[in-house]
Amino acid sequence: QVQLVESGGGLVQSGGSLRLSCAASGRTFSNYAMGWFRQAPGKEREFVAALSRSGSNRYYADSMKGRFTISRENAKNTVYLQMSMLKPEDTAVYSCAAAYDSSWYAVPVAAYEYTYWGQGTQVTVSS
């Protein structure tokens, strides 16, 4: 089992920034590729960003490119999502997820590829 706990959400004005953190425990963190997803009220869960076990390969949803940065610190068992130039449409519950992967460089982007999920943290962007 891997336990994931997100933090760092909150209320921010349009154009502002937030950094989300996701602390993992329970298994060897470096064995897992990590991802962030979000879900807004009344909408489907949406892929945001993903990062390989190595931390060298990243993938972003098109609407997040240039604004969001995913990173990880394996020594701290933590993955981050730095969000800038936030827009009201970024308002959602953001959840991190872990995908066991034998590849050091794979970047899973589909929700079904992830086994463990956090509870999520609310991000609200006001206009």
Side-chain angles (χ1 to χ4, degrees):
Q1 289 280 357
V2 175
Q3 292 78 42
L4 302 172
V5 179
E6 301 94 339
S7 61
L11 175 64
V12 64
Q13 289 188 332
S14 181
S17 300
L18 279 176
R19 188 176 82 156
L20 306 183
S21 299
C22 172
S25 61
R27 293 285 178 91
T28 304
F29 181 66
S30 60
N31 285 344
Y32 293 82
M34 299 298 295
W36 286 94
F37 292 77
R38 70 184 186 185
Q39 189 166 19
K43 294 188 176 182
E44 297 286 322
R45 182 167 53 194
E46 177 184 22
F47 169 78
V48 174
L51 184 62
S52 62
R53 289 174 55 194
S54 66
S56 61
N57 290 355
R58 298 170 172 82
Y59 191 81
Y60 299 94
D62 286 344
S63 61
M64 288 70 164
K65 289 179 182 177
R67 301 190 301 124
F68 291 9
T69 302
I70 187 171
S71 61
R72 66 191 295 161
E73 286 190 73
N74 284 346
K76 293 186 177 181
N77 292 351
T78 301
V79 63
Y80 305 98
L81 185 68
Q82 177 68 48
M83 306 185 294
S84 60
M85 296 182 284
L86 284 163
K87 307 173 184 179
E89 51 264 43
D90 293 319
T91 295
V93 174
Y94 285 71
S95 300
C96 66
Y100 179 82
D101 205 298
S102 58
S103 168
W104 193 234
Y105 301 106
V107 185
V109 300
Y112 74 84
E113 298 181 271
Y114 290 85
T115 305
Y116 302 105
W117 294 80
Q119 291 297 311
T121 185
Q122 176 70 46
V123 172
T124 303
V125 184
S126 62
S127 57

